[in-house]
Amino acid sequence: MTVTIDSDGSGEHANTPGGSASVSPVDAGAPGDLRTSRAKLVVRRFARNRNALIGLVVIVLLYAAAFLSPLFAPWSYTELDYDNFLVSPSGSHWFGTSKVGEDMFALVMRGLQKSLTIGLLVGLISTSLSAIVGATAGYFGGWVDRAMMWLVDLLLVLPSFLILAILSPAFKGKTWLIFVLLLGLFSWMITARIVRGMTFTLREREYVKAARFMGQAPWRIIVKHIVPNMASLLIIDATVNVGAAVIAETGLSYFGFGVQPPDVSLGTLIASGTESAQTFPWLFLFPSMFLVVFVLAVNVVGDGLRDAIDPNSAGGRRKDRRKARKEYQDAKDKARANAPALAGKEAS
Amino acid sequence: MIGFLARRLVNYVILCLVATFLAYLLASLTFDPVAILMQRNPPPPEAAIAAKRLALHFDQPIPLRFVHWLGGVVHGDFGRTVTDHNVGDELLPRMGVSLRLFLVGVTVGVILGVILGVVSAIRQYKISDYAATVFSFVILSTPVFVIGPLLKTGALQVNDWLGTEYLKFTGEQTPGFDGSWLASLGDRLRYLIVPTLTIALQQIAYYSRYQRSAMLDVLGSDFLRTASAKGLTRRRVLFKHGLRTALIPMATLFAFGFGLLIVGGTFTEHIFGWYGMGDWLIVGVNTQDANVVATVTLFVAVLVLISGWLSDVLYAALDPRVRV
Amino acid sequence: MTAAQTMFDEQAPSENGPVLRVSDLTVSFPSESGRVQAVRGLNYEVSAGEVLGIVGESGSGKSVSSLAVMGLLPQQARISGSIKFRDRELLGLSDDQLSKIRGKRISMVFQDPLSALTPVYTVGDQIAEALRAHGHSMSKQQAHNRAVELLDLVGIPNAANRAKAFPHEFSGGMRQRAVIAIAIANDPDLIIADEPTTALDVTVQAQVLEVLKTAQEVTGAGIVIITHDLGVVAGFADRLMVMYAGKAVETGQVDEIYAHPRMPYTLGLLGSIPRLDAEERQPLVPIEGQPPSLVDLPPGCPFAPRCPMVVDACREAEPPLSDVDGSEQHRAACIRANELIAEDPDAAEVFEVEAVEEAAIAKVPREQRPIVLSVNELVKHFPLTKGAVFKRRVGTVHAVDGVSFDIRAGETLGLVGESGCGKTTTLMEILGLDTLMGGDIAILGNLTTSLTKQSRREIRRDMQVVFQDPMASLDPRMPIGDVLAEPMQVHGYSKQKIASRIPELLDLVGLRAEHAERYPAEFSGGQRQRIGIARALALEPKLIVLDEPVSALDVSIQAGVINLLDELKAKLELAYLFVAHDLSVVRHIADRVAVMYLGKIVEIGEVDGVFGDAKHPYTQALLSAIPIPDPVAERSRERIILTGDLPSPANPPRGCRFHTRCFTFAALPEDKRQRCLDEEPVLAAHGDDQQAACHFPRARAVL
Ligand SMILES: Nc1ncnc2c1ncn2[C@@H]1O[C@H](COP(=O)(O)OP(=O)(O)OP(=O)(O)O)[C@@H](O)[C@H]1O
Ligand code: SF4
Ligand code: SF4
Ligand SMILES: [Mg+2]
């Protein structure tokens, strides 16, 4: 039996049925630094996933387009072309114009800019919040944990979409940053629940116990041992959360509960294009296309990352009896903890 | 077991109340219907505004207003709207509209989703699996407010092709339609197809992803190996032992899929001009009406409650390990 | 066995010749780094009524080769060669054709009973299903009745009722019996058992092996039993096949192989097992290094990198399996087998291991050494809860219920018992340094209940822990250097001191200084366990608490770690509290031993005393359940088979907790039994340093 890379600190080690694998133990002539070799391995696996790679390229291109296109595009989103109302895509108006003569390309790029910025910020805020709250609840347990779980349950009954809709009058006419903050504040629960579940398992890991028994302080244990071992999970979730945030933002903006005029986002553009989706399809199709392509790319990348980081382990190795029992328990917990995790991920 | 489910029920009821209270609280804090009133041209007289304030119980602290409202709810009185209509009058028809959409959508979604998921898992890495994967990824990345108009366009094409306006998508029945109940049902069905498809597509994509991974987990399990070693055929092993076990995690998922359904439903109603609960929420926020918002919240909470509770019952029915 | 007679034709099947003949079997799988040659040309056969043992380390291809026979390998496996069952070629049969053979003529028992049964159907239904899958004329009722008979046959008490239970209501041992019942349901000609007892406690292992023997008697089937433990098969198998790197490296009659192994690998394996029947402390034989990677195996003998007898010629071509000792039966794949025949050396000589010197402190009489740990009447109960959301308390788990012992400087106390008896809980209470539910713990003379912040820190320094699972005990995100530095940082060592101490520590546990740069994933299980030990040594503790430190390791690797612990103990004069479920390991390493049963110590004392002349029936049963890697001795042993499982610690039996399973009790006359039922026995002295808690202690030979 040779040992491979430990996936996400879950202590699993991949073993092909024959018992051989990619990284060999030290004495059998191991490669150099593992930090690089592990990262290399993940990168290699990811790169082999062609779809994920394409997704990554698409995301980069979309960001580039959103932020760089104003430099060379013929029209700016504030300009109105009084000669051309509602014209279909052409050489001068690549995506056509709106009924007041705005250039759709400029508008879509502007909307994309806003939506992507909001998505990124909200993804970061919510993932960091989930890491903090989830790890704290999971590590300390007790009332902290119960309070958090209750809050999560409450937010399932009271969807964050509803809350934000209700709160929308409060940030009407204020900066969109408030909106970002609120959106971030109401989208951490699901990841937090996964983080908590994972912390539960990590807390029982022997290296965490070892740290505790050598007298290490709890917050140091969280920072040194728990969070780093969830890094992969957090990276994946942050990615997927960006997509979810973009959908949530556009959905709210669609109803006028999010980004407020004169600002535009993909959501407001789609909303105003919907009416004429059948007659002037370019008003609806272009913003929709950019939205779907971005979210799809994000989801594909998230999926690719998951595959790359988590080498489907559990081989034919003889299991210790306690381990077998624990795995069974873990699997059950996972099923329960993941169920909510899965939900709402894609919820708009 | 019964005790367990009963306790769950109590927990859900408390959650519902708290959720409704929160919604009411937030709405009362942020909404200012009087301000809307004052924007009218010409501005209404001072006395009218004062009367409005009184009618809306703005002289009372919010928790008291909530208790007042809740007291009414118990007797079937959901208060009055800002425009002074009875909230309760509108409630039933709107509920009917939403429930029709949800129930058909979720039933179609769960059944087709499970089938699709199982088939992809069994035929992992075959063309059908890739197709199903692409389908669910695309659908899950496409918000309802994009799917809806696209399906509308598609329905127009179908109608064009059929030469008659067979599929309808504005409203929920032909205004003033007159005919036997069967004909009326047929008429409603024509209006139901496109919106239901909008919502069902998402549910199918959602459930098929998780059913696929649940099934894959089970496919690698030791007990399937034992079942094969007994001499069962592959088909029996897959269905009798595999699928049956892979359905268990779906029970929990069911409760959470409902959240997706409700938000999706709001968009669907809006897009297809159905006057349902989702549409009402938008109206409520736009007119800054705390009573309407609280009523919709209560409806949503009760729905989530029921689905959560059903989920528990289903889970217990499927998994002997949790039957205490 | 009346039931059995009606169910099985006792006659061995009439056809002659081997039941199963595997020739030139190769199996390979695709992997990240290339094709894994899991099985590389395997030949064997099994006759009716014969038991073939297949032995080898993890990854040697044991399971893959047997799954190939069953046609249960995943689709991506590439298989070639021939598998003939009663002269019918199985390779290439369709799934439908195979499913008529599977479960009917060949059946299989898997390793992990916990996951081997479908959780949503009752045990009875799952057995009945196996019957109906092949006996189409059988009615539901008939199948059910037969299932109950089968459950009864494999020793499930109250079978008619238990058949209605779901798998999760069965203990591990009971589930394995149920799986065996499924395997024998259709009176097969061949039963393949893949590590059927690895996941079980020794006492349950003895029960399950007994059931397998019964199964073989009633069905007359040939049995292939796969194991990594040479002890398990010694008394059970007729012939043995030792596998290494996907090939058989030695085959023959059990007696011959155990007495005269002719391949250095087999020799090493036999030498690596700590033996219960060892009179004096012999050093164990570790086989250094790792089994080779099965991708791109270099030419030559695959064992060459680990072989103490390797010569240049070994690396040229892979030695074929050839007859040794002039016997057709005994074959080995080693070019130097002849030298082994000529000299018949023992493993320690070949592998050049030396006995460890005793520490100076061990020569001081026990009473004169200071006490490092004393545990007095320790109690720990857990609330037993039900329900996921609303936890409600439905009882109390008496995990530890009044445990007392002490450990003196330079001494090792082994704490043994079945799983769930409270060993780990005891350790956690000691390590927690928290308030106790009952009793007290003093470490180096300090009561844990009255610690100041300062003295708590000091105790954290003087007492260290080594965990069971080498994969989980090191943070995978930290290089080894940081892992070793962490305790020293916590205890305020200076940077220079830490930097100089790390190479020292690595050297101490037999690793190299440059390993500090590397990450845990790069090390093998045994190496990681050494790192865990090095971490425990970093602060120069006086007491190390070890929770099953070797139970997750292969025997050959385990031997090295045990030797290391032995050596460190002598060199650094450490005291160990060594928790294990394996009594032979404890016998090898400990000075004193405490046997736990349901939260209480039932026997405690000096190892030679307790192992040589056990007084408590439970100790006797535990000892008797341990297999000895010596076929001759095994066959003549009279095994005490404990009935049933460990009772629930939530509801321990009244009076003597052991009475539900006690054979002494069962043999007592009615009037004397009452005492066991009413009165809880207390530890009473037998000899200088041996105490047992039994009202009717009597000596009994168990080896
Ligand atoms: N946190 C807990 N809550 C409830 N019961 C517990 C807890 N920890 C242990 N137990 C129970 O206490 C009993 C003793 O457990 P413990 O793990 O100490 O036994 P053990 O002999 O070390 O077992 P093993 O050999 O499997 O490690 C078991 O029945 C176990 O289920
Ligand atoms: S052939 Fe050589 S290397 Fe292989 S076991 Fe024999 S002596 Fe050792
Ligand atoms: S006291 Fe009685 S029941 Fe207990 S071990 Fe002794 S003989 Fe057995
Ligand atoms: Mg334990």
Coordinates of all heavy atoms in Angstrom, one line a residue, chain A residues 1 3 7 18 20 25-27 31-35 38 48 206-207 213-214 216 224-225 228-229 317-322, chain C residues 32 59 111 195 198-199 228 290 293-294 419 460 467-469 472-473 475-477 486 491 515 518-519 522-523 527 554 581:
Chain A
M1 N 0.8 -1.2 0.0 CA 0.0 0.0 0.0 C 0.9 1.2 0.0 O 1.8 1.4 0.8 CB -0.8 0.0 1.3 CG -1.8 1.1 1.4 SD -2.0 1.7 3.0 CE -0.5 2.6 3.3
V3 N 0.8 5.6 -0.2 CA -0.2 6.6 0.2 C -0.2 7.7 -0.8 O 0.8 8.1 -1.3 CB 0.3 7.2 1.6 CG1 -0.6 8.2 2.1 CG2 0.5 6.0 2.5
S7 N -6.8 14.3 0.8 CA -7.6 15.2 0.0 C -7.9 16.5 0.7 O -7.1 17.4 0.6 CB -9.0 14.5 -0.3 OG -9.6 14.2 0.9
G18 N -5.5 -2.0 -6.5 CA -4.3 -2.8 -6.4 C -3.4 -2.3 -5.3 O -2.6 -3.0 -4.8
S20 N -1.8 0.8 -5.3 CA -0.7 1.7 -5.7 C -1.2 3.0 -6.1 O -2.4 3.2 -6.4 CB 0.1 1.1 -6.9 OG 0.6 2.1 -7.6
P25 N 5.6 7.0 -0.7 CA 6.1 7.4 0.6 C 7.6 7.8 0.5 O 8.3 7.4 -0.5 CB 6.0 6.2 1.5 CG 5.1 5.3 0.8 CD 5.2 5.6 -0.6
V26 N 8.0 8.4 1.5 CA 9.4 9.0 1.5 C 10.5 8.1 1.1 O 11.2 8.4 0.2 CB 9.7 9.6 2.9 CG1 11.1 10.0 3.0 CG2 8.7 10.7 3.2
D27 N 10.5 6.9 1.7 CA 11.7 6.1 1.4 C 11.7 5.5 0.0 O 12.7 5.1 -0.5 CB 11.8 5.0 2.4 CG 12.4 5.6 3.7 OD1 13.0 6.7 3.6 OD2 12.2 5.0 4.8
P31 N 9.0 12.6 -4.3 CA 9.3 13.9 -4.9 C 9.5 15.0 -3.9 O 9.4 14.7 -2.7 CB 8.0 14.2 -5.7 CG 6.9 13.5 -5.0 CD 7.6 12.3 -4.4
G32 N 9.8 16.2 -4.4 CA 10.2 17.2 -3.5 C 9.1 17.7 -2.5 O 8.5 16.9 -1.9
D33 N 8.9 19.0 -2.4 CA 8.0 19.6 -1.5 C 6.6 19.2 -1.8 O 6.2 19.3 -2.9 CB 8.2 21.1 -1.5 CG 7.4 21.8 -0.5 OD1 6.9 21.1 0.4 OD2 7.3 23.0 -0.5
L34 N 5.9 18.8 -0.8 CA 4.5 18.4 -1.1 C 3.6 19.5 -1.4 O 2.7 19.4 -2.1 CB 3.9 17.6 0.1 CG 2.6 17.1 -0.3 CD1 2.7 15.8 -1.0 CD2 1.7 17.0 0.8
R35 N 3.9 20.7 -0.8 CA 3.0 21.8 -1.0 C 2.9 22.0 -2.5 O 1.8 22.2 -3.0 CB 3.5 23.0 -0.3 CG 2.4 24.0 0.1 CD 2.9 25.3 0.6 NE 3.9 25.2 1.6 CZ 3.8 25.6 2.9 NH1 2.7 26.1 3.3 NH2 4.8 25.5 3.7
R38 N 1.3 18.9 -4.2 CA -0.1 18.8 -4.0 C -0.9 19.8 -4.9 O -1.8 19.4 -5.6 CB -0.5 19.0 -2.5 CG -2.0 18.8 -2.3 CD -2.4 19.4 -0.9 NE -3.7 19.9 -1.1 CZ -4.8 19.2 -1.0 NH1 -4.8 17.9 -0.8 NH2 -6.0 19.8 -1.2
R48 N -7.0 18.9 -16.6 CA -7.4 17.9 -17.4 C -8.9 17.9 -17.7 O -9.5 17.3 -18.6 CB -7.0 16.5 -16.8 CG -6.8 15.5 -17.8 CD -6.1 14.3 -17.2 NE -6.5 14.0 -15.9 CZ -5.7 13.5 -15.0 NH1 -4.5 13.1 -15.3 NH2 -6.1 13.2 -13.8
E206 N -7.7 13.4 15.3 CA -6.8 13.2 16.3 C -5.7 14.3 16.4 O -5.3 14.7 17.4 CB -6.1 11.8 16.2 CG -7.2 10.8 16.5 CD -6.7 9.3 16.3 OE1 -5.7 9.2 15.6 OE2 -7.4 8.4 16.8
Y207 N -5.4 15.0 15.2 CA -4.5 16.0 15.3 C -5.0 17.2 16.1 O -4.3 18.0 16.7 CB -3.9 16.4 14.0 CG -4.8 16.9 12.9 CD1 -5.3 18.2 12.9 CD2 -5.2 16.0 11.9 CE1 -6.2 18.6 11.9 CE2 -6.1 16.4 10.9 CZ -6.6 17.7 10.9 OH -7.4 18.1 9.9
F213 N -4.6 18.7 23.7 CA -4.0 18.0 24.9 C -2.6 18.6 25.1 O -2.0 18.4 26.1 CB -3.9 16.5 24.7 CG -5.2 15.9 24.8 CD1 -5.6 14.8 24.0 CD2 -6.2 16.4 25.7 CE1 -6.8 14.2 24.1 CE2 -7.4 15.8 25.8 CZ -7.8 14.7 25.0
M214 N -2.0 19.3 24.1 CA -0.7 19.9 24.4 C -0.9 21.3 24.9 O 0.1 22.0 25.2 CB 0.2 19.9 23.1 CG -0.2 20.8 22.0 SD 0.9 20.6 20.6 CE 0.6 19.0 20.0
Q216 N -2.8 23.9 23.5 CA -3.0 24.9 22.5 C -4.4 25.6 22.8 O -5.4 25.0 23.1 CB -3.0 24.3 21.1 CG -3.0 25.2 19.9 CD -1.7 25.9 19.8 OE1 -1.4 26.9 20.5 NE2 -0.8 25.5 18.9
K224 N -5.2 27.5 13.1 CA -4.1 26.7 12.6 C -4.5 25.4 12.0 O -3.9 24.9 11.1 CB -3.1 26.4 13.8 CG -1.8 27.2 13.7 CD -0.9 26.8 14.9 CE 0.3 26.2 14.4 NZ 1.4 26.2 15.4
H225 N -5.5 24.8 12.7 CA -5.8 23.4 12.2 C -7.1 23.2 11.5 O -7.2 22.4 10.6 CB -5.8 22.4 13.4 CG -4.4 22.3 14.1 ND1 -3.4 21.7 13.5 CD2 -4.0 22.8 15.3 CE1 -2.3 21.7 14.3 NE2 -2.7 22.4 15.4
P228 N -7.5 25.9 7.9 CA -6.7 25.5 6.7 C -7.2 24.1 6.2 O -7.1 23.9 5.0 CB -5.3 25.3 7.3 CG -5.3 26.2 8.5 CD -6.7 26.2 9.1
N229 N -7.7 23.3 7.0 CA -8.1 22.0 6.5 C -9.4 22.0 5.8 O -9.9 21.0 5.2 CB -8.1 20.9 7.6 CG -6.7 20.4 7.8 OD1 -6.1 19.8 7.0 ND2 -6.1 20.8 9.0
R317 N -8.6 -0.8 0.8 CA -7.8 -1.0 1.9 C -8.5 -1.5 3.1 O -9.7 -1.2 3.3 CB -7.2 0.4 2.4 CG -6.1 0.2 3.4 CD -5.5 1.6 3.7 NE -4.5 1.5 4.8 CZ -4.8 1.6 6.1 NH1 -6.1 1.8 6.4 NH2 -3.9 1.5 7.0
R318 N -7.8 -2.3 3.8 CA -8.5 -2.9 5.0 C -8.8 -1.8 6.0 O -8.0 -1.0 6.4 CB -7.5 -3.9 5.7 CG -7.8 -4.3 7.1 CD -7.0 -5.5 7.5 NE -5.6 -5.3 7.2 CZ -4.8 -4.8 8.2 NH1 -5.2 -4.5 9.4 NH2 -3.5 -4.6 7.9
K319 N -10.0 -1.8 6.4 CA -10.4 -0.7 7.3 C -10.3 -1.2 8.8 O -10.6 -2.3 9.1 CB -11.9 -0.4 7.1 CG -12.1 0.5 5.9 CD -13.5 0.8 5.8 CE -13.9 1.1 4.3 NZ -15.3 0.9 4.1
D320 N -9.9 -0.3 9.6 CA -10.0 -0.6 11.0 C -11.4 -0.5 11.4 O -12.2 0.2 10.8 CB -9.2 0.5 11.7 CG -9.4 0.4 13.2 OD1 -8.6 -0.4 13.8 OD2 -10.2 1.1 13.8
R321 N -11.8 -1.3 12.4 CA -13.2 -1.4 12.7 C -13.8 -0.1 13.2 O -14.9 0.3 12.8 CB -13.4 -2.6 13.7 CG -13.1 -2.2 15.1 CD -12.9 -3.5 15.9 NE -11.7 -3.4 16.6 CZ -11.6 -3.1 17.9 NH1 -12.6 -2.8 18.6 NH2 -10.4 -2.9 18.5
R322 N -13.0 0.6 14.0 CA -13.6 1.9 14.5 C -13.8 2.8 13.3 O -14.7 3.6 13.2 CB -12.6 2.5 15.5 CG -13.0 2.3 16.9 CD -11.7 2.4 17.7 NE -10.8 1.4 17.3 CZ -10.7 0.2 17.9 NH1 -11.4 0.0 19.0 NH2 -9.8 -0.7 17.5
Chain C
E32 N -4.3 7.1 -12.1 CA -3.7 8.4 -12.4 C -2.3 8.2 -13.1 O -2.0 8.8 -14.1 CB -3.5 9.2 -11.1 CG -4.7 9.6 -10.5 CD -5.1 11.0 -10.9 OE1 -4.2 11.9 -11.0 OE2 -6.3 11.3 -11.2
G59 N -3.1 -4.5 0.0 CA -2.7 -4.2 -1.4 C -2.0 -5.3 -2.1 O -1.5 -5.1 -3.2
Q111 N -15.7 -8.2 4.2 CA -15.0 -7.8 5.4 C -15.8 -7.0 6.4 O -15.8 -7.3 7.6 CB -13.8 -7.0 5.0 CG -13.1 -6.4 6.2 CD -12.1 -5.4 5.8 OE1 -11.7 -5.3 4.7 NE2 -11.6 -4.6 6.8
E195 N -11.5 -11.5 4.5 CA -11.2 -10.9 5.9 C -12.5 -10.8 6.7 O -12.9 -9.8 7.1 CB -10.7 -9.5 5.7 CG -9.5 -9.4 4.8 CD -8.3 -8.6 5.3 OE1 -8.3 -8.3 6.5 OE2 -7.5 -8.2 4.5
T198 N -11.8 -9.2 10.3 CA -10.9 -8.1 10.6 C -11.6 -7.0 11.4 O -10.9 -6.4 12.2 CB -10.3 -7.6 9.3 OG1 -9.7 -8.7 8.6 CG2 -9.4 -6.5 9.5
A199 N -12.8 -6.8 11.1 CA -13.5 -5.6 11.7 C -14.0 -6.0 13.1 O -14.7 -5.2 13.7 CB -14.6 -5.2 10.8
H228 N -5.1 -11.0 6.7 CA -3.7 -10.5 6.7 C -3.0 -11.0 8.0 O -1.9 -10.7 8.3 CB -3.7 -9.0 6.8 CG -4.4 -8.5 8.0 ND1 -5.8 -8.4 8.1 CD2 -3.9 -8.1 9.2 CE1 -6.0 -8.0 9.4 NE2 -4.9 -7.8 10.0
Q290 N 8.2 -0.5 2.2 CA 6.8 -0.6 1.7 C 6.6 -1.7 0.6 O 7.6 -1.9 -0.1 CB 6.4 0.7 1.0 CG 6.4 1.9 1.9 CD 5.2 1.8 2.9 OE1 4.1 1.5 2.5 NE2 5.5 2.0 4.1
S293 N 5.1 -0.3 -5.6 CA 4.0 0.2 -6.4 C 3.8 -0.7 -7.5 O 4.7 -1.3 -8.1 CB 4.4 1.6 -7.0 OG 3.7 1.8 -8.1
L294 N 2.5 -1.0 -7.8 CA 2.2 -2.0 -8.8 C 2.1 -1.4 -10.2 O 1.6 -2.0 -11.1 CB 0.9 -2.7 -8.4 CG 1.0 -3.5 -7.1 CD1 -0.3 -4.0 -6.7 CD2 2.0 -4.6 -7.3
S419 N -14.1 -3.7 22.4 CA -14.5 -2.3 22.0 C -15.7 -1.9 22.7 O -16.6 -2.7 22.9 CB -14.6 -2.3 20.5 OG -15.9 -2.0 20.2
R460 N 0.6 19.1 31.3 CA 0.5 19.0 29.8 C 1.9 18.7 29.2 O 1.9 18.0 28.2 CB 0.0 20.3 29.2 CG -1.5 20.5 29.5 CD -2.4 20.1 28.3 NE -3.8 20.3 28.6 CZ -4.7 19.3 28.8 NH1 -4.2 18.1 28.9 NH2 -5.9 19.6 29.0
F467 N -1.9 8.7 19.2 CA -3.2 8.2 18.9 C -3.1 7.0 18.0 O -2.1 6.6 17.5 CB -4.0 9.3 18.2 CG -4.4 10.4 19.1 CD1 -3.8 11.6 19.1 CD2 -5.5 10.2 20.0 CE1 -4.2 12.6 19.9 CE2 -5.9 11.2 20.8 CZ -5.3 12.4 20.8
Q468 N -4.3 6.5 17.7 CA -4.4 5.2 17.0 C -4.2 5.4 15.5 O -3.5 4.6 14.9 CB -5.8 4.7 17.2 CG -6.1 3.5 16.3 CD -7.6 3.1 16.4 OE1 -8.3 3.7 17.2 NE2 -7.9 2.0 15.7
D469 N -4.9 6.4 14.9 CA -4.9 6.4 13.5 C -3.8 7.3 12.9 O -3.8 8.5 13.0 CB -6.3 7.0 13.1 CG -6.5 7.0 11.6 OD1 -5.5 6.6 10.9 OD2 -7.6 7.3 11.1
A472 N -4.9 10.2 10.7 CA -5.6 11.3 11.2 C -4.9 12.1 12.3 O -5.3 13.1 12.7 CB -7.0 10.9 11.8
S473 N -3.8 11.6 12.8 CA -3.2 12.2 13.9 C -2.2 13.3 13.6 O -1.7 14.0 14.5 CB -2.5 11.1 14.8 OG -1.5 10.5 14.1
D475 N -1.7 16.8 11.2 CA -2.4 17.8 10.4 C -1.8 17.7 9.0 O -0.7 18.0 8.8 CB -2.3 19.2 11.0 CG -3.1 20.2 10.3 OD1 -3.4 20.0 9.1 OD2 -3.4 21.2 10.9
P476 N -2.7 17.3 8.0 CA -2.1 17.2 6.6 C -1.6 18.5 6.0 O -0.9 18.4 5.0 CB -3.3 16.6 5.8 CG -4.5 17.0 6.6 CD -4.1 17.0 8.1
R477 N -2.0 19.6 6.6 CA -1.5 20.9 6.0 C -0.2 21.4 6.6 O 0.2 22.5 6.3 CB -2.6 21.9 6.2 CG -3.9 21.7 5.6 CD -3.7 21.8 4.1 NE -4.6 20.9 3.4 CZ -5.6 21.2 2.6 NH1 -5.9 22.5 2.5 NH2 -6.4 20.3 2.1
E486 N 5.1 22.4 17.1 CA 3.9 22.9 17.8 C 3.9 22.8 19.3 O 3.7 23.8 20.0 CB 2.6 22.3 17.2 CG 1.4 23.1 17.7 CD 0.1 22.6 17.1 OE1 0.1 21.6 16.4 OE2 -0.9 23.2 17.3
H491 N 4.7 25.6 24.6 CA 5.3 25.6 25.9 C 6.5 26.5 26.0 O 7.4 26.4 26.8 CB 5.7 24.2 26.4 CG 4.5 23.4 26.8 ND1 4.0 23.4 28.0 CD2 3.6 22.7 26.0 CE1 2.9 22.7 28.1 NE2 2.6 22.3 26.9
H515 N 13.5 15.0 6.6 CA 12.1 14.7 6.5 C 11.3 15.9 7.1 O 10.1 16.0 6.8 CB 11.8 13.4 7.3 CG 12.2 12.2 6.5 ND1 12.3 11.0 7.1 CD2 12.6 12.0 5.2 CE1 12.8 10.1 6.2 NE2 12.9 10.7 5.1
R518 N 8.9 17.8 4.9 CA 7.9 17.1 4.1 C 6.6 17.1 4.8 O 6.5 17.3 6.0 CB 8.4 15.7 3.7 CG 9.6 15.8 3.0 CD 9.9 14.5 2.3 NE 11.1 14.7 1.5 CZ 11.8 13.7 1.0 NH1 11.5 12.4 1.4 NH2 12.8 13.9 0.2
Y519 N 5.6 16.8 4.0 CA 4.2 16.8 4.6 C 3.8 15.3 4.9 O 4.2 14.4 4.3 CB 3.2 17.3 3.5 CG 3.3 18.8 3.5 CD1 4.4 19.5 2.8 CD2 2.4 19.6 4.2 CE1 4.5 20.8 2.8 CE2 2.5 21.0 4.2 CZ 3.5 21.6 3.5 OH 3.6 23.0 3.5
E522 N 3.3 12.3 2.6 CA 4.4 11.6 1.9 C 4.9 10.4 2.7 O 5.7 9.7 2.2 CB 5.5 12.6 1.7 CG 5.3 13.6 0.6 CD 6.5 14.5 0.5 OE1 7.5 14.1 -0.1 OE2 6.4 15.6 1.0
F523 N 4.3 10.2 3.9 CA 4.8 9.1 4.7 C 3.9 8.0 4.7 O 2.7 8.1 4.6 CB 5.1 9.6 6.1 CG 6.2 10.7 6.2 CD1 5.9 12.0 6.0 CD2 7.5 10.3 6.4 CE1 6.9 13.0 6.0 CE2 8.5 11.3 6.4 CZ 8.2 12.6 6.2
Q527 N 5.5 5.2 9.3 CA 6.3 6.4 9.4 C 5.6 7.5 10.1 O 6.1 8.2 11.0 CB 6.8 6.9 8.1 CG 7.9 6.0 7.5 CD 8.2 6.4 6.1 OE1 7.3 6.8 5.3 NE2 9.4 6.3 5.7
D554 N -0.3 -2.6 9.5 CA 0.0 -4.0 9.1 C 0.9 -4.6 10.1 O 1.8 -3.9 10.6 CB 0.6 -4.0 7.7 CG -0.5 -4.2 6.6 OD1 -1.3 -5.1 6.8 OD2 -0.5 -3.5 5.6
H581 N -6.5 -3.5 22.1 CA -7.5 -4.6 22.2 C -6.8 -5.9 21.9 O -7.3 -7.0 22.0 CB -8.7 -4.4 21.3 CG -8.3 -4.4 19.8 ND1 -7.9 -3.3 19.1 CD2 -8.2 -5.4 18.9 CE1 -7.6 -3.6 17.9 NE2 -7.8 -4.9 17.8

